Amino acid sequence: MLTLSRACGRLLAGVALALAAPAARAEIPDGTVKIGVLTDLSGFASDSTGEGSVVAARLAVEDFRKEQPKLQVEVIQSDHQNKPDIGSSTARRWIAQERVDAILDVPFSSVALAVQEVVRDSRAAFIASGPGTSDLTGPKCSPNTVHWTYDTWALAHGTALALLRAGKTRWFFLTADYAFGHALEADAAAVVKAEGGTITGNVRHPTAAADFSSFLLQAQGSRAQVIALANAVGDTVNSVKQAAEFGITSGGQDLAALLMQLSDVHAIGLKDAQGLYLTEGFYWDANPGTRAFADRFAARMKGRRPTANQAGVYAGTLDYLRAVAAADSTDGRVVVAKMKERPTRDPLFGDGMVREDGRHVHDMYLFQVKAPGESAAPWDYYKRVQTIPAAEAFRPLADGRCPLVRAGK
């Protein structure tokens, strides 16, 4: 029979043991992390993001479980329909009611900026792969956000600087008339001017335009060496196809797409897209690691190869989950801070790092689309022209006006 003193001792020991329970159970309820892929499942960016982004996240989870088999990961998905109000309301519901720990992908800058504001004051993290706006790591940066794959600054500077240094100094801009298109044009135009080039003109078109003939005739008549397409997805596809009909590239002018994904080239076809220049951070056929991932992806996507956006979902998800395990927490600010503490490495983007402003930094590449005769197999579309080192690929930290950097956080 226990004496009172011994009973009290055991009680106190039990309390102490309970208080000393592993932080994983306190910080990661039930040892489970819940991530939500918020993407375009039905609109005109669904080929470059969409279901492929969901598959990429699931592949990252599979690989993470090999490293941390005791930590469970649940993946959910939703279609934001390219509408900021739907994106923000979904993010709010996920965080408040469904206990989602991280939101992934979110193509379209307007939707991403709306989601970022919801996440900012929460305990969730936002790992953005799909959006392009550099404001996510600039004036609107958040301690809860990591921007992984690309942004308007990287795309515009990568393509413009390489072509300018190759002697292509006269530029004309064909630009989508909304904030994203304006940002692409402004970033590229700044490089053209800084390098002593000339802007021979520009024209702006509405989104989802069907007829680009009048815009392309202006570009053709400008005698520019480079016609820069500051647009995206369907608008880029249509403008490239119609440029081929007008004989623009065969007439000696170069087309430079300031935002183009592998799925866009696939939709255009090599006959019309051949010779086009673009900047990307990932290409499926770059090395054995990217090819192995592409084979796994293709097995679930009816033979399709991953885009850079989808690759970014994989890499961002994997690094987020590794940081969760390292921090023993799902608190968004804690996890993002952990992501910033150490270098990143994965088979798709290689070596990289997450900066103070939340920008993931890695090598970018200038590609040129192959001619049909150069392509050896389906989805064999790019040839590498130049590697842009990570240190040069993204906007300098001091130029972004991110409050986190100014505050030294």
Side-chain angles (χ1 to χ4, degrees), residues 153 157-171 191-192 194-197 225-226 366 385-389 392-393:
W153 194 99
H157 280 67
T159 303
L161 198 58
L163 293 177
L164 285 158
R165 289 177 177 174
K168 300 178 188 297
T169 58
R170 297 193 311 277
W171 287 60
V191 181
V192 173
E195 292 293 311
Q225 293 168 289
V226 178
L366 180 70
V385 176
Q386 181 180 333
T387 297
I388 306 166
E392 301 174 13

Side-chain angles (χ1 to χ4, degrees), residues 36 38 65 115 194 196 253 277 281 297 303 326 378 401 409:
L38 184 55
R65 282 176 176 160
V115 169
Q253 292 174 298
Y277 291 93
F297 181 93
R401 296 182 293 121
K409 294 180 182 178

Side-chain angles (χ1 to χ4, degrees), residues 289-330:
T290 60
R291 285 190 285 273
F293 172 77
D295 287 343
R296 293 170 63 200
F297 181 93
R300 303 187 190 191
M301 289 294 294
K302 299 180 180 179
R304 296 182 69 86
R305 298 293 173 173
T307 65
N309 280 348
Q310 292 157 347
V313 172
Y314 170 88
T317 301
L318 184 60
D319 194 65
Y320 165 79
L321 291 172
R322 286 170 171 169
V324 166
D328 206 10
S329 174
T330 54

Side-chain angles (χ1 to χ4, degrees), residues 136-138 141-147 336-337 339-341 353-361 397-398 402-409:
L136 286 171
T137 57
C141 68
S142 164
N144 300 55
T145 296
V146 172
H147 196 184
V336 169
M339 293 174 76
K340 294 176 182 179
E341 283 181 7
M353 61 171 288
V354 180
R355 297 191 314 200
E356 296 170 65
D357 58 356
R359 173 70 261 169
H360 185 261
V361 175
L397 188 63
C402 169
L404 298 176
V405 176
R406 288 203 302 269
K409 294 180 182 178

Side-chain angles (χ1 to χ4, degrees), residues 46-49 51-53 55-56 59 261-264 266 280 282-311 377-382:
S46 56
D47 281 348
S48 61
T49 59
E51 187 60 33
S53 290
V55 167
L59 290 172
Q261 299 258 343
L262 187 74
S263 53
D264 300 326
H266 187 72
E280 291 244 51
F282 165 86
Y283 178 48
W284 73 269
D285 199 21
N287 57 56
T290 60
R291 285 190 285 273
F293 172 77
D295 287 343
R296 293 170 63 200
F297 181 93
R300 303 187 190 191
M301 289 294 294
K302 299 180 180 179
R304 296 182 69 86
R305 298 293 173 173
T307 65
N309 280 348
Q310 292 157 347
W379 299 92
D380 176 23
Y381 294 158
Y382 293 171

